[in-house]
Amino acid sequence: AQSVTQLGSHVSVSEGALVLLRCNYSSSVPPYLFWYVQYPNQGLQLLLKYTTGATLVKGINGFEAEFKKSETSFHLTKPSAHMSDAAEYFCAVSEGSSASKIIFGSGTRLSIRP
Amino acid sequence: GAVVSQHPSRVICKSGTSVKIECRSLDFQATTMFWYRQFPKQSLMLMATSNEGSKATYEQGVEKDKFLINHASLTLSTLTVTSAHPEDSSFYICSAETGRGHGYTFGSGTRLTVV
C-alpha cells in the first residue's frame, strides 16, 4: 500500500522568502510522485512530477522538488515566494504503472505574508 | 492539451433526489478516470476508479449503490449520487490519466450541496 505524509498543515512565509513544503512517501514499488496546487473551489493543477531519471524536477511557477529515495522524501521548494503562491498544495504518489490510482497527502496550506 | 471538463461546477439539490456529474476528456481518450471527494479543508479521497466499458472499482467504504459510476465511452465518465443526503454535500473532482508521460489531468470540480 502507498501513503503520503505532508508535514505541516499550514506554512506561512514572507514574500520573497524560501518556500519549503515537506512530503514523505511510502511505497512498495518504485513510485511516481507529484505535487499539485489547488486554489479555492477549483480543481488541481500539476506543478511537477517525478517518474524516472533526474531526481531534481523543475515545475511551473518556479517550483522544484527533489526525489530522495534514501529519505523517501519529495520536498517542494521555491527560492522566492510570491503573493500569488498562496494556495493549498498536495503531494501525491502513484504506483508508477499506467492508469494506477493516485493517493494524496493531507495537504499544506501556504500563506504568504506581505 | 489534455483537458478534462467537469460539469456542473455547482449544484444544489433536495434530499432524496439524484444528481449526475459529468467528466469529459476533451482532446484525448481516457480509458481510466478517477473520482475523488474532498471535504472542506481536507485532502482528496479516492472514491473509485472508472474503467471504460467495465464496472468501476470502488475504494473500501464507498457505497457503490449510492455513487453510481458509468464510463460508457472513452471520453465520458459520470458519477451519479443517488438519494442524496446532506452528508453527501462535498466537492467532487474527477481525473483522467492522459497517457502522455504518465500525466493526470483534473477536472475543475463540482460543489454539491444537498438541502
Side-chain angles (χ1 to χ4, degrees):
Chain A
Q2 297 172 299
S3 65
V4 177
T5 301
Q6 289 184 241
L7 298 176
S9 59
H10 182 208
V11 171
S12 179
V13 302
S14 298
E15 189 175 17
L18 171 71
V19 174
L20 171 61
L21 304 183
R22 299 179 184 276
C23 173
N24 288 88
Y25 70 91
S26 172
S27 178
S28 58
V29 299
Y32 285 6
L33 295 159
F34 309 82
W35 275 100
Y36 287 89
V37 60
Q38 184 182 35
Y39 297 97
N41 292 311
Q42 294 187 27
L44 275 71
Q45 181 181 14
L46 179 67
L47 283 176
L48 49 81
K49 66 179 185 287
Y50 168 80
T51 54
T52 59
T55 57
L56 180 62
V57 181
K58 294 185 183 299
I60 62 171
N61 301 340
F63 285 95
E64 63 181 38
E66 186 171 11
F67 170 61
K68 292 187 176 181
K69 184 178 179 180
S70 61
E71 299 177 7
T72 62
S73 68
F74 191 58
H75 302 329
L76 181 70
T77 60
K78 180 174 180 176
S80 177
H82 191 272
M83 295 300 291
S84 60
D85 294 328
E88 190 83 19
Y89 291 80
F90 293 98
C91 182
V93 63
S94 75
E95 288 185 347
S97 60
S98 180
S100 58
K101 59 188 178 184
I102 293 183
I103 303 301
F104 285 86
S106 55
T108 298
R109 182 165 61 91
L110 176 64
S111 299
I112 311 298
R113 302 187 300 270
Chain B
V3 176
V4 169
S5 174
Q6 187 172 341
H7 179 79
S9 58
R10 291 177 178 271
V11 58
I12 301 174
C13 70
K14 293 184 178 181
S15 290
T17 62
S18 296
V19 174
K20 179 184 287 187
I21 302 170
E22 293 187 348
C23 183
R24 294 181 183 272
S25 58
L26 298 185
D27 53 357
F28 66 100
Q29 294 183 329
T31 304
T32 303
M33 291 186 175
F34 305 92
W35 287 95
Y36 293 85
R37 182 175 182 177
Q38 185 180 31
F39 290 103
K41 300 186 186 301
Q42 295 188 28
S43 186
L44 283 75
M45 301 301 296
L46 180 65
M47 298 174 66
T49 302
S50 168
N51 302 295
E52 187 269 333
S54 64
K55 292 183 178 180
T57 303
Y58 289 82
E59 295 299 302
Q60 190 174 6
V62 178
E63 299 176 61
K64 58 183 65 178
D65 293 333
K66 179 167 189 60
F67 298 100
L68 300 179
I69 292 174
N70 183 279
H71 195 158
S73 77
L74 287 171
T75 59
L76 174 64
S77 175
T78 61
L79 168 67
T80 301
V81 182
T82 63
S83 187
H85 290 280
E87 55 265 33
D88 298 326
S89 298
S90 190
F91 194 57
Y92 294 87
I93 305 175
C94 68
S95 172
E97 205 276 321
T98 66
R100 305 175 189 181
H102 203 81
Y104 294 82
T105 296
F106 286 79
S108 55
T110 297
R111 172 73 61 194
L112 170 63
T113 303
V114 184
V115 298

